[in-house]
Amino acid sequence: MSNDAARSASLPLSPGLAREVVAAAAAAPSIHNTQPWLWRLEADGLTLLADGSRQLDVADPEGRQLLLSCGAALCNARLALRGRGLDPAVELLPDGDDFHSKRLATVTVIGQRPADDAERALVEAIPRRHTDRRPFDDRPLPEDAVGRLRAAAEAQGAWLTAPTDPNLRVQVSVLLSRADWIEEHNDDYRKELASWSRTAPAADGIPRSAVVHSDTPRQSEFPMRDLDVVGQAGTLLQEHDVERPGILLIGTEADTTADRLRAGEAMQRVLLTATALGLATSPMSQAIDVEGMREQFRGATGGLGHVQMILRAGYLRPGTEPLGPTPRRRVDDVLDVAGSDERA
């Protein structure tokens, strides 16, 4: 069915259902918990827009992470509709590539179709998925789990690889360490990070519960971003063995605006699949966020394509308490229903 035909055959969304969908979409991850998305309810469905006021000028000057975050929210919205037995049609960038002022995507409902077991598992994982920067257990990722994570990325038009070759893991570690050093010595980056660090309850930004700190250098094969720029960590690590987590590289063949949105959808589907499999995850994206290093990373991975996200994945250590949800903005702050019939 063409996009025009899908729109003409679309079923209306009530404001109540739209709020449910946007609430699920808002559970998506975003760098520094910036939540850079806006939604608009229109006669034929939902429209996704970027909230440019929440783009990070230093950490994300191109808006690549903004697009990944919005793609992740789009994935959740699509799944929320599937969980209700509705069949969504998604059109990316209907007005072209200018994501700063044009629509990122439209979501219309074109019919009804029962969700399958896999879709229901992903929907159930949406409120349980949390970024977890705490140490992981030393259990390796099972091959069947990696296969399911790869299939999740491919379902959204991206690719995934989980490097186990020691030489490649060393190269990834070196690039991450270099990027981490660059960020740590960039005063503008640290000021921007501090501006999104929250020491009191807030609807966005990095809460103290998400910050992990160690008084000594963290013993890990791959460096983690130090988010403790205001001196109030939520979790203080004790001495522990060297962490050797699984790593997941998610990428696309090209690097257009649409590819970045698809990569965000793929990232979220991978994260939800990992959650459903009992895995914990957290991003390690320094090497692709720092200007000039993405091409080096592409070279290190043998030219697989454009790496869009690096994830750390593994099992939490026995006895680790589950994390609570990270705060989110109110639905009414990100959803415009002005053009719809509130009585629907």
Side-chain angles (χ1 to χ4, degrees):
M1 181 182 291
S2 69
N3 291 326
D4 289 341
R7 281 194 293 271
S8 65
S10 65
L11 304 177
L13 280 177
S14 70
L17 178 55
R19 286 188 171 92
E20 288 183 26
V21 171
V22 170
S30 56
I31 184 170
H32 299 356
N33 193 28
T34 49
Q35 306 170 50
W37 44 69
L38 294 169
W39 294 88
R40 189 168 64 224
L41 178 59
E42 299 180 307
D44 57 354
L46 282 167
T47 292
L48 172 62
L49 304 142
D51 186 344
S53 69
R54 290 171 172 267
Q55 181 176 337
L56 301 177
D57 294 334
V58 180
D60 187 31
E62 294 181 359
R64 191 185 65 82
Q65 283 275 11
L66 177 148
L67 289 168
L68 262 68
S69 300
C70 289
L74 182 61
C75 177
N76 277 7
R78 188 197 300 256
L79 286 169
L81 288 167
R82 290 296 302 121
R84 293 288 299 262
L86 300 173
D87 196 7
V90 175
E91 182 180 3
L92 298 183
L93 303 169
D95 308 317
D97 287 348
D98 182 7
F99 64 90
H100 290 100
S101 60
K102 306 297 183 182
R103 295 176 294 175
L104 294 182
T106 57
V107 183
T108 55
V109 175
I110 58 174
Q112 298 182 353
R113 178 167 53 92
D116 59 32
D117 290 343
E119 289 170 322
R120 283 192 289 269
L122 295 179
V123 173
E124 291 170 2
I126 288 174
R128 296 190 290 112
R129 182 221 60 85
H130 307 302
T131 296
D132 202 320
R133 297 179 175 85
R134 297 174 297 180
F136 292 167
D137 199 14
D138 57 5
R139 283 183 288 167
L141 296 179
E143 288 186 11
D144 63 331
V146 173
R148 290 178 63 177
L149 297 171
R150 182 177 297 113
E154 292 173 351
Q156 301 297 155
W159 51 260
L160 178 146
T161 185
T164 57
D165 177 77
N167 290 329
L168 178 53
R169 286 174 68 94
V170 167
Q171 291 183 69
V172 172
S173 179
V174 168
L175 287 173
L176 283 168
S177 297
R178 185 183 304 165
D180 197 59
W181 187 94
I182 291 172
E183 287 185 341
E184 283 293 307
H185 291 80
N186 183 333
D187 289 340
D188 290 335
Y189 167 80
R190 292 182 67 79
K191 288 177 183 176
E192 183 177 70
L193 176 58
S195 72
W196 284 95
S197 297
R198 306 293 185 243
T199 57
D204 60 8
I206 306 168
R208 296 303 88 200
S209 60
V211 178
V212 176
H213 177 76
S214 176
D215 288 334
T216 59
R218 184 167 178 174
Q219 300 300 306
S220 179
E221 185 179 1
F222 304 101
M224 298 285 291
R225 265 183 169 135
D226 183 7
L227 301 179
D228 188 26
V229 294
V230 295
Q232 294 184 26
T235 301
L236 182 63
L237 296 184
Q238 306 300 319
E239 289 188 16
H240 52 78
D241 297 333
V242 176
E243 299 172 65
R244 302 189 186 280
I247 55 170
L248 309 173
L249 310 182
I250 299 172
T252 50
E253 294 303 317
D255 193 28
T256 65
T257 300
D259 286 307
R260 293 175 176 186
L261 281 170
R262 290 190 193 98
E265 289 194 85
M267 174 188 70
Q268 182 64 357
R269 197 175 186 100
V270 167
L271 291 172
L272 294 175
T273 302
T275 300
L277 291 171
L279 296 169
T281 54
S282 57
M284 299 189 302
S285 57
Q286 303 96 307
I288 46 178
D289 288 343
V290 172
E291 185 178 0
M293 293 198 67
R294 293 190 70 212
E295 196 60 34
Q296 294 181 52
F297 203 93
R298 185 182 183 192
T301 56
L304 286 172
H306 297 269
V307 179
Q308 301 287 0
M309 178 55 67
I310 310 168
L311 297 174
R312 167 179 168 266
Y315 296 96
L316 290 174
R317 294 180 174 181
T320 303
E321 295 292 329
L323 285 175
T326 302
R328 290 295 189 269
R329 292 197 284 168
R330 297 184 312 129
V331 168
D332 287 342
D333 291 336
V334 298
L335 173 63
D336 178 10
V337 297
S340 67
D341 183 358
E342 282 281 5
R343 298 168 296 176

